[in-house]
Amino acid sequence: MENVPWRWEEDGYTVTRSTAWSGPGCHEGCGVLLYTKDGKLMKVEGDHEHPFNQGRLCPRCLALPDTIYHPDRLKYPIKRVGERGEGKWERISWDEAYDTIEKRYKEISEKYGPWSIVGLRGTGRDLMWQQGRLLYAIGTPNEVGTLSGNSCWAPRAASYHATTGAFMVADCSQYFADRYDNPNWKVPECIVIWGTNPVISNPDWFLGSWIVECMKRGSKLIVIDSRLTWLAARADIWLQVRPGTNGALALGLLDVIIREELYDKEFVEKWTFGFDKLSERVAEHPVKKMAEITWIPEEKLAAAARMYAKSKPSAIQVGVSVDMEKTGVYTVHCIAALASITGNMEVPGGNVIALPPYGVKQPGVGGWGYHDLPEGTRKHTIGHNIYPFLATGLPTASPDVLLEQMHTEDPYPIRGAWIQGTNTLPCMATDPKQWYEGFKKMDFVAAVDLYITPTIMAFADIVLPAATYPEKNSVRACLYNLSSTNKAIDNVGECKSDLQINLELGKRFNRKFWPWDAEEDVLDELLKPAGMTFKELQQRGPTYPGIEYKRYEKGMLRPDGQSGFNTPTGKVELFSTFLHHLGHSPLPYFEEPTRGPVTTPELYKEYPLILITGVRTIFFHSEHRQIRHLREIHPEPVVEIHPDTAKELGVNDGDWVWIENHKDRIRQKAKLTPIVHPKMISADYGWWFPEKPGPEPSLFGFWDVNSSRLIDMGLVGETGFGADIKCTLCKIYKVKEGEM
Ligand SMILES: Nc1nc2c(c(=O)[nH]1)N[C@H]1C(S)=C(S)[C@@H](COP(=O)(O)OP(=O)(O)OC[C@H]3O[C@@H](n4cnc5c(=O)[nH]c(N)nc54)[C@H](O)[C@@H]3O)O[C@H]1N2
Ligand SMILES: Nc1nc2c(c(=O)[nH]1)N[C@H]1C(S)=C(S)[C@@H](COP(=O)(O)OP(=O)(O)OC[C@H]3O[C@@H](n4cnc5c(=O)[nH]c(N)nc54)[C@H](O)[C@@H]3O)O[C@H]1N2
Ligand code: SF4
Ligand SMILES: [Mo]
């Protein structure tokens, strides 16, 4: 669809073609048409000409004008004038805000070292690729999300890198501008949807509608989900896995495929390393035993293995639930093994290696410039000495080690924070009480957001107002295309884009990291590998490099141009030499969740329900709670309970219930539904109530309903990645009158 116009007049509107790319949240990069009048956004429509979403749009993008023009939106820089948490703010100028931030961070740096300032991040937004660079300019290597085990995307990415050399996605034709009509593409005969609900979440640059399109063209479906999702209800096989046992499930699938010789012998022979060792390891995990562990009937598990292995091509798409278990890295290791030994790697309609489009790297988790930091600075990256896998891959710090360090101040105290694009307390933080105490020790905290959140209310000294995507120009380097986000409206108040903020502040600290004068210079720099400028990309529109298959045969996957995969042996490493070298298990294994029916049977008697937290909803994480159209659909935090379980406990639909475990107790509203297993419940996450009082102790009422209070920090896998976020134990009982 290159060279389509990006702006035109229509029925009294100016229409700007653009790419959705936060704020507000959602990192998908769908094509949108922004209808404006007199510099104001009137409505948003999906762009039918954009191959990515082909005109489809979620309620969040439809409600964009409400988010942009909401009366609560931050419009000017503000500073705290009362005590922290009192909610007393005063408008200040950008100059005063920048001067204060510069002065305070420099004071902290002189006293404790710049590494004692941490940058907190949320999920991938149009800021993460630059946020690290601001921190590096300040002199700190510590960029981090507060989710235990970095349990979103990072475990998958790290494990795929170790085994296949790069990230891996299901091929639903998304690399081609003509999509399903492209003659080189094949419809997957079978798709496995694993621990993800893409029709709701469209996660990690992968839209649920693509699955539906493939199903229309004949794809069979295996859904591995602890809940009966919309897709699970339409699947040929639904595996209702016990939460936190995906590793056992994966080993069980491998056992059937290897024992029944359903694998591609030629591919295994030529392009994999360590098949025999993997086979030995898998043989120790027979499907019968794995079926028992996962609570799935053995025949069903074996049938899924056969359907997956015998269909050609077959594709697997994995979601965050797999990251959210301690040994998630090794579950993903198995999944890479499944895709490769069945001959589904790098084939049309199978799984393909995801490389940056035209070499344009827009890092999803920071890191741009990390290696330009002096060694003496990098060595202060929190947790890298303990978890070498973190240090060799993503430059992110370890949240679990950071939290400990905040409390012990060993080897150095944490005294400053930069909060950009995360609502840490109610959402990103696992065990938020401990983070709360840690943050109360800060000398100075600055934050950038669209709204005043519980996190900002509790901690921030200065708050900067961020622009939404129709208010700015940017570049979206999705895995499959390059496209531009085009400014379409006048900025609300004095809001600035994150890039402008990072550039203006970064320059004050270290020009080496921010040598550019204007935002567009940075975008041009980002696009350099593509040989394009921002203006040229804007003119061209969404630009697709396409994909060649079997790139390992053609020397297209390795920087040295040799054939093979980008791993030390040049093969898919079923025995990971990389992990071995780091002192970790080179072969996959499964470990039970720290707390569960098997690990802690005594505790299970007291807390007989398995607790899933945080399935995705109409909102984006903790955002949108103030947007009426969206809130009406999901007005309160709900916990899904099976009707039989509820009956036993005397709980009715709509009752408020306590959810309690070894750590803490919270309350949510019961939603009776057979989509959950009778022994499991699924509680909402990320809630706060913008309509409730902001000042302490209320903090917009987030504490009482926050399911992350029931999850431990620090119980991570051996690599530092992965934690039991969706698989702990609890009990529920009715909230009594007078307890609300
Ligand atoms: N219990 C439990 N907890 C979870 C999860 C779970 O499944 N269960 N999921 C976890 C996962 S996977 C993730 S990724 C995290 C997400 O956690 P976060 O990314 O921290 O998500 P939000 O809480 O929505 O915080 C985002 C904040 O950034 C602001 N914002 C949005 N767009 C922009 C922008 O462009 N610029 C700036 N400066 N600000 C912006 C929003 O207003 C909001 O306040 O939550 C995690 N927490
Ligand atoms: N609308 C919306 N979309 C989003 C987001 C949002 O907040 N709102 N957040 C974005 C972000 S940062 C992320 S990480 C993604 C996450 O999006 P997804 O990867 O889709 O993750 P979830 O919705 O958390 O969970 C997916 C499914 O996993 C199931 N599940 C729970 N535990 C287990 C388990 O142990 N094993 C298996 N196999 N399944 C389990 C749940 O029942 C659920 O249906 O979504 C992104 N997209
Ligand atoms: S997935 Fe939905 S909310 Fe996200 S950019 Fe696309 S339309 Fe917008
Ligand atoms: Mo995430």
Side-chain angles (χ1 to χ4, degrees):
M1 67 156 294
E2 291 177 30
N3 300 316
V4 289
W6 67 276
R7 180 164 288 161
W8 63 92
E9 300 294 320
E10 185 183 307
D11 298 337
Y13 293 102
T14 302
V15 187
T16 304
R17 190 189 296 280
S18 191
T19 310
W21 188 202
S22 72
C26 193
H27 35 231
E28 280 318 290
C30 290
V32 288
L33 301 178
L34 304 171
Y35 285 75
T36 59
K37 263 184 192 165
D38 304 324
K40 247 190 123 181
L41 184 66
M42 309 308 285
K43 62 171 179 168
V44 182
E45 285 186 5
D47 182 357
H48 285 269
E49 290 187 71
H50 199 308
F52 185 77
N53 56 314
Q54 297 184 316
R56 294 177 180 87
L57 214 60
C58 301
R60 291 177 297 288
C61 270
L62 290 170
L64 190 60
D66 300 343
T67 305
I68 295 177
Y69 302 116
H70 194 283
D72 291 351
R73 172 107 191 263
L74 277 164
K75 297 180 191 67
Y76 312 99
I78 50 174
K79 73 172 176 193
R80 172 172 68 79
V81 287
E83 291 299 308
R84 273 209 184 120
E86 245 191 335
K88 292 191 180 140
W89 308 97
E90 195 177 281
R91 179 178 169 181
I92 53 172
S93 68
W94 277 97
D95 278 341
E96 184 184 339
Y98 285 157
D99 287 346
T100 311
I101 293 170
E102 185 184 350
K103 180 168 160 276
R104 299 299 301 274
Y105 283 161
K106 284 186 175 163
E107 279 167 9
I108 294 172
S109 299
E110 269 163 37
K111 232 164 145 182
Y112 307 102
W115 29 88
S116 69
I117 300 163
V118 293
L120 292 191
R121 59 171 175 75
T123 186
R125 292 187 170 90
D126 183 22
L127 57 93
M128 229 192 305
W129 57 279
Q130 339 128 17
Q131 183 183 17
R133 222 170 162 83
L134 168 63
L135 298 168
Y136 311 148
I138 294 169
T140 174
N142 287 319
E143 185 186 20
V144 68
T146 52
L147 182 68
S148 185
N150 279 308
S151 300
C152 172
W153 194 75
R156 261 172 292 163
S159 186
Y160 282 141
H161 273 81
T163 47
T164 72
F167 202 69
M168 189 183 98
V169 285
D171 179 18
C172 294
S173 81
Q174 67 269 31
Y175 276 95
F176 298 112
D178 53 354
R179 297 298 312 251
Y180 312 98
D181 297 332
N182 188 283
N184 294 329
W185 179 70
K186 274 194 191 147
V187 184
E189 194 181 325
C190 170
I191 306 178
V192 183
I193 300 290
W194 197 327
T196 176
N197 189 11
V199 290
I200 300 285
S201 60
N202 301 308
D204 314 313
W205 324 284
F206 189 95
L207 297 187
S209 55
W210 305 346
I211 301 291
V212 178
E213 288 302 321
C214 288
M215 287 166 77
K216 283 189 203 161
R217 290 163 176 79
S219 298
K220 289 176 288 190
L221 216 57
I222 298 171
V223 172
I224 306 173
D225 198 300
S226 311
R227 292 158 61 252
L228 183 67
T229 59
W230 188 90
L231 281 174
R234 285 153 184 82
D236 295 78
I237 300 180
W238 168 43
L239 302 178
Q240 188 172 26
V241 61
R242 167 159 70 91
T245 66
N246 294 285
L249 197 157
L251 286 158
L253 294 175
L254 280 169
D255 177 49
V256 176
I257 291 169
I258 295 176
R259 234 177 344 94
E260 298 183 7
E261 297 192 26
L262 300 177
Y263 55 90
D264 180 330
K265 298 199 176 83
E266 196 189 325
F267 187 90
V268 165
E269 176 81 12
K270 262 187 156 160
W271 297 107
T272 68
F273 176 82
F275 181 70
D276 292 344
K277 288 207 171 74
L278 176 78
S279 302
E280 282 167 27
R281 173 58 58 94
V282 168
E284 294 161 13
H285 297 81
V287 63
K288 185 171 177 345
K289 198 164 146 207
M290 297 305 105
E292 273 166 26
I293 292 175
T294 56
W295 293 0
I296 296 167
E298 182 186 341
E299 313 74 60
K300 218 173 180 180
L301 195 49
R306 291 179 196 122
M307 181 187 281
Y308 170 69
K310 289 182 182 172
S311 306
K312 300 283 175 215
S314 275
I316 309 182
Q317 185 62 21
V318 183
V320 81
S321 299
V322 173
D323 298 324
M324 291 184 167
E325 61 189 38
K326 258 183 326 188
T327 39
V329 159
Y330 290 104
T331 308
V332 174
H333 187 140
C334 289
I335 291 167
L338 281 165
S340 48
I341 70 168
T342 54
N344 282 305
M345 278 295 274
E346 285 280 294
V347 298
N351 277 95
V352 288
I353 298 278
L355 299 177
Y358 302 98
V360 176
K361 290 190 186 136
Q362 192 170 39
V365 283
W368 183 26
Y370 178 79
H371 292 283
D372 298 330
L373 283 171
E375 165 58 26
T377 302
R378 270 186 286 139
K379 74 168 193 221
H380 292 288
T381 317
I382 293 164
H384 281 198
N385 53 337
I386 301 172
Y387 299 118
F389 199 28
L390 277 186
T392 51
L394 312 159
T396 171
S398 158
D400 300 274
V401 181
L402 167 64
L403 181 62
E404 223 177 284
Q405 187 169 333
M406 279 174 126
H407 291 280
T408 60
E409 310 207 336
D410 179 28
Y412 56 86
I414 306 298
R415 281 288 188 271
W418 171 253
I419 298 178
Q420 188 174 24
T422 171
N423 186 2
T424 299
L425 266 188
C427 194
M428 192 55 131
T430 317
D431 199 351
K433 273 190 179 164
Q434 283 209 58
W435 286 105
Y436 176 82
E437 283 158 23
F439 272 104
K440 282 289 175 186
K441 291 161 89 173
M442 293 296 132
D443 287 350
F444 179 71
V445 177
V448 195
D449 205 300
L450 312 177
Y451 289 94
I452 293 183
T453 62
T455 311
I456 286 176
M457 186 58 87
F459 307 133
D461 300 304
I462 297 255
V463 192
L464 307 176
T468 58
Y469 72 82
E471 295 167 286
K472 66 183 174 184
N473 285 330
S474 194
V475 165
R476 182 77 181 99
C478 178
L479 292 177
Y480 330 109
N481 67 55
L482 278 181
S483 57
S484 63
T485 294
N486 302 320
K487 182 170 162 62
I489 58 170
D490 298 332
N491 287 28
V492 169
E494 291 181 3
C495 291
K496 292 188 184 192
S497 75
D498 288 281
L499 182 54
Q500 192 177 352
I501 294 169
N502 290 336
L503 174 65
E504 288 172 352
L505 258 181
K507 279 201 278 201
R508 286 171 172 246
F509 287 93
N510 189 343
R511 284 222 60 136
K512 184 181 131 197
F513 287 95
W514 293 95
W516 308 281
D517 292 321
E519 283 169 86
E520 203 170 311
D521 300 337
V522 189
L523 300 178
D524 287 347
E525 177 72 28
L526 188 71
L527 284 169
K528 258 189 189 157
M532 239 184 273
T533 61
F534 172 75
K535 288 243 159 57
E536 282 162 356
L537 178 63
Q538 190 175 49
Q539 291 302 327
R540 279 173 76 152
T543 301
Y544 276 70
I547 190 170
E548 277 196 46
Y549 295 102
K550 299 203 174 179
R551 285 168 292 179
Y552 55 87
E553 286 180 349
K554 304 168 193 163
M556 294 170 74
L557 291 178
R558 295 175 60 91
D560 60 11
Q562 298 286 311
S563 64
F565 292 83
N566 191 21
T567 59
T569 57
K571 298 183 172 183
V572 174
E573 296 204 353
L574 306 174
F575 175 101
S576 169
T577 58
F578 187 64
L579 285 169
H580 190 53
H581 173 73
L582 296 177
H584 293 305
S585 170
L587 288 167
Y589 65 96
F590 164 68
E591 209 175 280
E592 282 279 348
T594 308
R595 293 190 176 80
V598 180
T599 336
T600 53
E602 284 306 310
L603 201 69
Y604 186 48
K605 277 187 206 147
E606 196 179 344
Y607 303 110
L609 294 169
I610 297 176
L611 174 65
I612 299 171
T613 66
V615 297
R616 302 307 183 247
T617 64
I618 189 104
F619 307 112
F620 200 79
H621 293 301
S622 74
E623 292 185 62
H624 299 113
R625 297 306 190 284
Q626 56 286 86
I627 308 304
R628 193 168 51 86
H629 294 107
L630 300 175
R631 186 73 182 275
E632 274 172 0
I633 295 169
H634 194 134
E636 278 154 328
V638 293
V639 50
E640 294 172 345
I641 308 168
H642 193 281
D644 295 349
T645 312
K647 202 171 165 199
E648 247 172 59
L649 299 169
V651 170
N652 295 312
D653 195 58
D655 283 349
W656 281 85
V657 292
W658 289 109
I659 311 172
E660 182 181 318
N661 74 357
H662 66 284
K663 272 190 75 64
D664 214 334
R665 120 180 146 157
I666 63 147
R667 59 184 172 215
Q668 296 193 355
K669 207 167 183 173
K671 178 178 171 186
L672 271 45
T673 165
I675 74 163
V676 284
H677 191 284
K679 289 184 173 5
M680 306 170 194
I681 63 167
S682 175
D684 268 357
Y685 77 122
W687 269 90
W688 60 295
F689 305 89
E691 68 276 14
K692 289 194 179 174
E696 301 249 28
S698 162
L699 296 180
F700 302 103
F702 96 88
W703 287 112
D704 290 349
V705 295
N706 184 270
S707 58
S708 295
R709 281 173 58 180
L710 305 173
I711 309 170
D712 298 276
M713 282 293 295
L715 301 176
V716 295
E718 64 169 288
T719 58
F721 286 120
D724 299 337
I725 312 262
K726 291 195 198 285
C727 48
T728 189
L729 293 177
C730 72
K731 66 177 176 187
I732 48 171
Y733 50 96
K734 259 170 92 154
V735 171
K736 291 200 198 96
E737 237 173 87
E739 278 185 328
M740 285 293 286

